[in-house]
Amino acid sequence: MSHIISPSILSCDFARLPEEIKMLDESVAEWIHVDVMDGQFVPNFTFGMTMVEAVNRLTDKVLDVHLMMVEPEKYIERFRKAGADIITVHYETCPHLHRTLQQIRECGAKAGVALNPHTPVQNLFDILEDIDLVLIMSVNPGFGGQKFIYSSLNKIKMLRDEINARNLDIYIEVDGGVGLHNAENILNAGANALVAGNAVFGSDNPKDTILKLQNIGFEKGF
Ligand code: DX5
Ligand code: ZN
């Protein structure tokens, strides 16, 4: 099974948004990762559903929306209406996570849960059946261009073993510090979706970098 590349527009040039989205649209990336930050849960601020709606009008790719915000349950329907296909909330911001995941599925989106570096994957084991995607944060959320935290590899392995043992179909997506230097290790650990911001938009040829990320491990069949 091949993996998914989800370039993060956090690192794109917003003054050239239509061109950047067009480039992604023409690339082999299947998803586009959209980082929503509220300045409360994370020490940074980005954008909301108006941006998701704008990106949605520029592409037919799957919109992979990562909500780094408190009380995401208040806005799920509006993000879905704006075009979000996958809605990922943070474990750390959802006291009623099971209910929030149902809310996401009920409005027709895939339900994702993001885990900060200190949150154990075991915290999700009781509700794995209600999850479509687990986003392993391999940096502290808030900024692009940070260094990959290598203990994330163990978390990926533990989660992959559990998912396989229970024969579930759940994406393991990894976000933060992912690039050509470590993508193979991350995929080997059991991830099947890679977010890449700086590695793509900071490179000389973003479209080609996406292709290279997609081709990693091809000969080995993943
Ligand atoms: C970080 C965001 C990431 C970010 C990744 O809080 O969730 O999606 O865009 O950027 P890179 O790939 O540059 O670490
Ligand atoms: Zn993200």
Side-chain angles (χ1 to χ4, degrees), residues 194-211:
L194 302 177
V195 176
N198 197 50
V200 167
F201 289 99
S203 71
D204 291 340
N205 187 337
K207 204 192 283 181
D208 187 54
T209 304
I210 294 170
L211 183 62

Side-chain angles (χ1 to χ4, degrees), residues 8-11 33 35 37 66 68 135 137 139-146 175-178 195-199:
S8 167
I9 59 166
L10 183 64
S11 301
H33 189 81
D35 286 307
M37 302 188 190
H66 178 190
M68 283 161 276
L135 182 59
M137 289 305 302
V139 297
N140 288 294
F143 302 94
Q146 302 181 76
D175 187 6
V178 177
V195 176
N198 197 50

Side-chain angles (χ1 to χ4, degrees), residues 2-220:
S2 159
H3 55 274
I4 304 271
I5 305 299
S6 190
S8 167
I9 59 166
L10 183 64
S11 301
C12 84
D13 178 357
F14 287 101
R16 298 176 52 252
L17 186 70
E19 292 96 316
E20 300 278 56
I21 302 298
K22 187 165 187 276
M23 179 279 291
L24 295 178
D25 200 55
E26 290 167 354
S27 78
V28 296
E30 289 178 52
W31 298 355
I32 295 178
H33 189 81
V34 185
D35 286 307
V36 175
M37 302 188 190
D38 68 349
Q40 275 199 72
F41 174 56
V42 288
N44 197 7
F45 204 91
T46 53
F47 39 71
M49 49 285 275
T50 357
M51 179 65 94
V52 175
E53 202 265 329
V55 174
N56 191 41
R57 271 190 286 135
L58 294 165
T59 179
D60 288 330
K61 300 257 174 173
V62 169
L63 296 193
D64 169 30
V65 177
H66 178 190
L67 299 182
M68 283 161 276
M69 61 192 294
V70 297
E71 301 185 308
E73 65 280 357
K74 287 188 179 168
Y75 303 98
I76 283 163
E77 284 75 18
R78 288 172 67 191
F79 276 108
R80 172 66 182 149
K81 237 179 158 184
D85 298 293
I86 302 166
I87 298 178
T88 297
V89 294
H90 264 263
Y91 175 87
E92 299 80 13
T93 64
C94 293
H96 305 289
L97 181 61
H98 182 261
R99 180 188 295 156
T100 306
L101 293 170
Q102 283 178 318
Q103 193 188 342
I104 297 173
R105 280 186 169 172
E106 268 162 26
C107 71
K110 295 234 180 280
V113 184
L115 299 178
N116 270 352
H118 71 278
T119 305
V121 286
Q122 286 85 349
N123 289 17
L124 297 180
F125 285 3
D126 287 343
I127 56 162
L128 275 183
E129 275 80 5
D130 301 287
I131 300 175
D132 299 304
L133 175 148
V134 177
L135 182 59
I136 304 281
M137 289 305 302
S138 41
V139 297
N140 288 294
F143 302 94
Q146 302 181 76
K147 263 184 122 172
F148 185 84
I149 298 171
Y150 272 87
S151 55
S152 317
L153 291 177
N154 265 333
K155 293 172 76 171
I156 299 166
K157 281 185 198 134
M158 279 188 275
L159 181 61
R160 172 52 65 200
D161 285 349
E162 186 71 16
I163 289 173
N164 288 356
R166 288 161 63 174
N167 213 3
L168 295 170
D169 186 16
I170 301 174
Y171 283 105
I172 303 180
E173 186 175 33
V174 181
D175 187 6
V178 177
L180 288 167
H181 62 293
N182 58 11
E184 182 157 4
N185 280 341
I186 297 168
L187 294 169
N188 271 328
N192 56 358
L194 302 177
V195 176
N198 197 50
V200 167
F201 289 99
S203 71
D204 291 340
N205 187 337
K207 204 192 283 181
D208 187 54
T209 304
I210 294 170
L211 183 62
K212 286 188 177 132
L213 284 166
Q214 184 69 77
N215 284 341
I216 285 173
F218 182 66
E219 67 283 357
K220 292 183 190 141

